[in-house]
Amino acid sequence: MAHTAHWLHIPTLQRMENILYDLRLRTTVLNSVDPRIVIIDIDEESLAKEGRWPWRRDKLAYLVDMLFDYYNVKLLGFDVVFSEPDTSAGVELLEKMASGPLQKNADFLSTLETMRPQLSYDDMFAKSIENRPVVLGYFASHITEKTPEVGILPASLAAADGLPFSPLLFNGQSYAANLPKLQTAAMAGGFFNNPNVDEDGVYRRLPLLINYNHQLYEALSLALFRALLGMPEVKFITGEGYGKNNIDSHLEGLDIESFHIPVDQSSTLLVPYRGRQGSFPYISATDVLNGVADVEKLKDKIVIVGTSAAGLLDLRVTPVQNVYAGVEVHANILSGLLDQTIKSRPSYILAVELGELLWVCLLAIFVFPRLPVFLSALIFGVLLIAGIAFNFYCWAMWNIDTVLASPITLLTLLYGIQIFFGFFFESRKKKQMGNMFGQYIPPELVEQMSQSDEEFSLKGESREMTVLFSDVRGFTTISEGMEPQELCELINDILTPVTRVIHEHKGTIDKYIGDAIMAFWGAPMHNPQHATYAVRAGLAILQALTTIQKDFKAKGWPEVDIGIGLNTGKMSVGNMGSQFRIAYTIMGDAVNLGSRLEGLTKQYGVKMIVSESTLMAAPEFTYRELDKVRVKGKHKPITIYEPLGVTEDISAGQLQILDLLNQGLHSYRQQQWVAAQIVFEQLAEQYPHDKLYPIYLDRIAYYLESPPESDWDGAFTHTSK
């Protein structure tokens, strides 16, 4: 921001800005030829045919006469200076002889007076440009030369003392201008050198005004433009000052009749290059002198005399070409003035640029850190493209030049810092997550937690969660007949695939209790579908049990079975224990109920039981209602269920059996014992190995002999765990 606001100069950033400016200019140039302006080129061919430069002034007078009288040009400008008199005719020697040895020779003196007008080439040149629209060029220097003032300057535009912006203009210290007789005869004059060449030596901008000896003078291109319009008055458009250097106002533009010329505070404008060298017709000066140039190419045209010959040192480095004739720079400016295509930097553009940079900073500080890497990279790319597109739009549609390197650099730098520190903090976060939870949860969940904005802690808190208890049936009997090493291998072969299933379903292992596993869902990472994942995990464990049983049979080990209990409810979770040993675990009545449900699987002859709260939290499964029970330590009855699978996978036959079971349960709880007995006998006959139906037949037989009390709620009380 400091660089954009011109409070601090960063050379590298300025070089980047210049490079992007050149790229943008080359991308959008017209690459067309403007036939209105013709360059009379003192090229290598002209030097070879007409002799070395400078040419005699009588030849230049003839050139001017040919251009106006034969070719009928509209306006003529010279991108050369005539600061020294032409002595090639030997007039000084003849006059010295006339005042010396031949002073008494009447014939000599008479001939000299007759021939003097023909021998004064400067007079001939002055006479040729007199009363014609001719503009001469001169050189203004920012340093004091040994001879600070050569020739005379043209008439100034205005006195600088009355203009508050004049201290911000380029201040000339010396000049090399044209001979008085030539400048007096010309219509106007303008400086052709560029005191504002960029640090890399490239001609990107050129001032239209300079301040010399408290007077304002115009550039050659501006003088040509005014001469074309009949030398109208220049009006200065100013804005409020910057609050520094005691400057009350600064220059923003020039108004010449109906034309507006945007400039900056130093009167500098951006050269509106049309394309590479050759954007204007070039005609060799020798062709004009010899009358062989095409008349139609010059008639009613604006003509600028300059040079492209390397030896005359008027070749420049420009954004569009490394070797570029200096005379064509002035032609480009004049063309841009006529077409009103000068790029500008309005006074308000600084506020827009600073606002853009501030917006980038706010995005990088408040938005990027809160987004995933992919999304932040996508937004970064979109912002980068949008910034470049906006810059090109301002350039092409509004002729406004805005900075591009600063926002791009700032955006890239801040994004890079965010990525670096994001990677650093993410790595540290992953390490912290791994240290805290790696022993409880799968690596995939640690990865997901590290990418989440959620804060994780080992401190105790209360959450809605689902707990799972899994136990191997009859393990005590199995262990009595096995060696310790073989027993350890058997336990590992059971717990490993079960643990893998729990991890695959985003569960957290609480603890291993011998042959049993305790796991939970909903912590440390919040998971609104914790019950669904838990039920899926339970069903997947039962599927894995089939593979375990096959492997055990192949090894000659006894067959094993598993019971699973699930419950959903409020649980306390966090690091719990003592100062000697601590663990991330869960506690509460809902946890104890889950353990009780696992114990009930043996009594009902099923492998998995869930509570009604789990059924409500995971409705996408189909369940078989088992019973309404009071577990040990609880007075309030609960309904328990056996999950059969995802509802979409349940067959029509299974649904019919469930309907029949529900009829039987309804009759049972309404104490309609005979109706209930008929249903359960029918079910027991169809499924003789299902332990649930004989349980109800035994209860019905008992209640037929000893009916329950009148306040019986249909629940069965279990007195064991």
Side-chain angles (χ1 to χ4, degrees), residues 117-147:
Q118 302 177 31
L119 297 176
S120 179
Y121 296 157
D122 287 330
D123 290 340
M124 295 175 62
F125 187 35
K127 186 176 180 180
S128 69
I129 64 178
E130 191 174 13
N131 298 322
R132 284 173 170 169
V134 177
V135 179
L136 298 181
Y138 65 91
F139 178 86
S141 178
H142 65 285
I143 61 175
T144 303
E145 305 289 347
K146 292 182 179 180
T147 306

Side-chain angles (χ1 to χ4, degrees), residues 469-534:
F469 284 89
S470 173
D471 190 22
V472 177
R473 303 250 183 94
F475 182 73
T476 302
T477 304
I478 294 173
S479 62
E480 291 175 351
M482 301 184 72
E483 295 295 329
Q485 183 176 354
E486 189 178 24
L487 182 62
C488 289
E489 185 180 351
L490 181 143
I491 286 293
N492 291 339
D493 284 358
I494 295 174
L495 298 184
T496 297
V498 173
T499 300
R500 183 181 298 112
V501 169
I502 293 173
H503 281 180
E504 288 174 350
H505 290 80
K506 301 183 179 182
T508 300
I509 298 296
D510 186 301
K511 60 177 69 70
Y512 299 105
I513 312 169
D515 60 310
I517 293 180
M518 176 180 173
F520 54 85
W521 282 258
M525 190 171 183
H526 283 283
N527 184 353
Q529 294 181 304
H530 51 83
T532 298
Y533 279 101

Side-chain angles (χ1 to χ4, degrees), residues 542-700:
L542 298 181
Q543 290 180 351
L545 177 63
T546 304
T547 304
I548 294 173
Q549 291 173 340
K550 290 180 180 179
D551 293 342
F552 279 22
K553 185 176 182 180
K555 293 180 180 180
W557 290 348
E559 184 177 337
V560 295
D561 206 353
I562 291 177
I564 299 173
L566 285 173
N567 184 43
T568 300
K570 285 286 185 180
M571 305 174 192
S572 296
V573 60
N575 261 1
M576 303 178 192
S578 68
Q579 60 179 336
F580 303 104
R581 186 173 182 181
I582 198 167
Y584 187 73
T585 187
I586 56 174
M587 296 180 66
D589 288 342
V591 179
N592 296 332
L593 179 57
S595 177
R596 300 288 188 275
L597 296 180
E598 184 277 320
L600 292 179
T601 57
K602 290 177 287 186
Q603 299 189 34
Y604 288 90
V606 295
K607 292 182 172 59
M608 184 174 174
I609 293 179
V610 304
S611 65
E612 187 174 5
S613 58
T614 301
L615 176 145
M616 298 296 293
E620 57 266 50
F621 300 96
T622 295
Y623 301 86
R624 180 173 73 153
E625 184 177 345
L626 299 177
D627 201 357
K628 181 184 287 188
V629 301
R630 288 185 183 90
V631 298
K632 185 177 177 59
K634 296 289 184 179
H635 296 289
K636 185 177 181 180
I638 62 169
T639 305
I640 59 176
Y641 301 86
E642 178 191 13
L644 300 179
V646 180
T647 300
E648 291 80 4
D649 298 335
I650 303 301
S651 65
Q654 288 177 295
L655 294 176
Q656 290 178 356
I657 297 299
L658 291 178
D659 289 340
L660 187 60
L661 172 62
N662 291 335
Q663 293 176 18
L665 290 173
H666 177 75
S667 298
Y668 171 79
R669 289 168 186 159
Q670 295 295 321
Q671 300 185 33
Q672 298 172 0
W673 309 120
V674 175
Q677 186 177 35
I678 293 173
V679 171
F680 285 113
E681 286 178 347
Q682 180 181 349
L683 290 171
E685 184 179 353
Q686 293 183 26
Y687 301 97
H689 299 292
D690 196 320
K691 190 176 180 180
L692 177 64
Y693 310 128
I695 290 176
Y696 278 99
L697 289 174
D698 290 343
R699 291 181 188 176
I700 292 170

Side-chain angles (χ1 to χ4, degrees), residues 152-171:
I152 65 168
L153 293 172
S156 65
L157 284 179
D161 293 339
L163 302 173
F165 60 82
S166 60
L168 296 175
L169 302 180
F170 170 75
N171 192 28

Side-chain angles (χ1 to χ4, degrees), residues 208-244:
L208 293 185
L209 302 174
I210 62 169
N211 184 357
Y212 182 81
N213 198 21
H214 307 293
Q215 298 290 323
L216 299 189
Y217 295 92
E218 60 189 329
L220 176 62
S221 52
L222 181 58
L224 286 167
F225 183 65
R226 291 179 61 236
L228 187 65
L229 299 178
M231 302 304 293
E233 178 187 1
V234 177
K235 295 180 181 179
F236 306 107
I237 309 301
T238 59
E240 294 183 0
Y242 293 120
K244 62 179 182 178

